[in-house]
Amino acid sequence: MDFVEENESNDLVFSQNFEPFSIKGNVCFVSDYFNLQVSPTIIKKLYGYLEKLRLSDMERESGELKSNIVMYLSRASQLCDFDFDYKSEVSLSDLFKMQSLKPKIDSFDTASSLINYLTVINKYPKCFVLLNMHLFFGSDEIEMIFNTLKYQGIYLIFLENMFSFQRLPDENVSVIDKDLCEIVAETKK
């Protein structure tokens, strides 16, 4: 995943509810469908999200677990002839990081892995730009990806290097030439 850096030119404007927003950190560009990895920044945000989930049955267990870890460290440090420093407060994020808790992205096929990936990270970027989807996936796979993510409220921009594919029923197609002029695309059915 690559987040798009701020662009000096104003050739393309991203907006939400007709309000422009900065593309830096808000647009995710996906070009490698075979090596999808959740970035450490997103994992850290997911840890924070999990930590904020205040499930009443888990709060007691979380408190006991944190207390047990601090007691264990205290007892372990007493076994040596020298002192240790350690954090007396343990956060759930510390535990998640210690155990390398990460969302499972890999699936039985590349299309399902892409859906899992975009579903996991969808809270953070506002826009996903997918490069050359029609070269990597068949029409049925693209329709499954498109419909599944649309159902979840995740909208996509497919950036293709040519218009040689059959468009989906709800897909809007714009062809832009090298001078950034929009060319009316004939419907391919």
Side-chain angles (χ1 to χ4, degrees):
M1 167 183 74
D2 297 319
F3 283 103
V4 176
E5 294 298 321
E6 201 66 52
N7 189 347
E8 292 295 320
S9 71
N10 292 324
D11 296 331
L12 183 63
V13 176
F14 288 90
S15 65
Q16 186 173 26
N17 298 326
F18 303 104
E19 292 293 322
F21 64 83
S22 170
I23 62 173
K24 186 175 183 178
N26 288 314
V27 177
C28 175
F29 183 80
V30 181
S31 60
D32 185 355
Y33 303 104
F34 303 106
N35 189 27
L36 299 170
Q37 296 181 14
V38 180
S39 72
T41 304
I42 297 293
I43 290 175
K44 187 175 180 179
K45 289 179 180 183
L46 287 172
Y47 288 172
Y49 172 74
L50 285 173
E51 205 164 8
K52 288 179 184 174
L53 289 177
R54 298 289 181 191
L55 304 175
S56 58
D57 58 335
M58 293 286 290
E59 265 189 71
R60 185 179 55 77
E61 292 171 353
S62 297
E64 288 176 6
L65 182 59
K66 291 189 227 180
S67 176
N68 287 339
I69 288 172
V70 171
M71 283 189 337
Y72 182 85
L73 293 174
S74 175
R75 289 177 58 199
S77 66
Q78 292 172 359
L79 296 174
C80 294
D81 295 338
F82 46 88
D83 293 331
F84 286 90
D85 279 332
Y86 56 89
K87 294 189 326 186
S88 59
E89 288 291 321
V90 179
S91 71
L92 291 177
S93 290
D94 293 335
L95 297 174
F96 299 151
K97 187 175 181 179
M98 179 177 71
Q99 287 302 112
S100 299
L101 181 69
K102 294 179 184 165
K104 185 171 174 18
I105 301 298
D106 294 333
S107 189
F108 57 92
D109 64 18
T110 307
S112 296
S113 294
L114 179 62
I115 290 170
N116 292 344
Y117 175 76
L118 294 176
T119 301
V120 165
I121 67 168
N122 80 4
K123 289 181 174 60
Y124 305 107
K126 293 179 181 177
C127 180
F128 294 100
V129 178
L130 306 175
L131 181 64
N132 291 323
M133 285 281 292
H134 290 87
L135 293 177
F136 290 99
F137 299 102
S139 297
D140 292 342
E141 291 174 309
I142 290 177
E143 189 168 7
M144 183 214 27
I145 291 167
F146 184 81
N147 289 333
T148 302
L149 295 173
K150 182 180 171 188
Y151 177 75
Q152 295 179 30
I154 301 171
Y155 295 95
L156 310 168
I157 296 175
F158 295 166
L159 190 59
E160 303 288 339
N161 64 352
M162 66 180 89
F163 184 40
S164 61
F165 51 87
Q166 190 167 357
R167 78 197 273 180
L168 300 171
D170 290 338
E171 186 176 23
N172 296 322
V173 176
S174 295
V175 178
I176 311 292
D177 69 9
K178 67 181 179 178
D179 297 323
L180 298 178
C181 295
E182 185 174 353
I183 300 169
V184 176
E186 294 295 320
T187 304
K188 295 193 180 259
K189 292 190 179 187

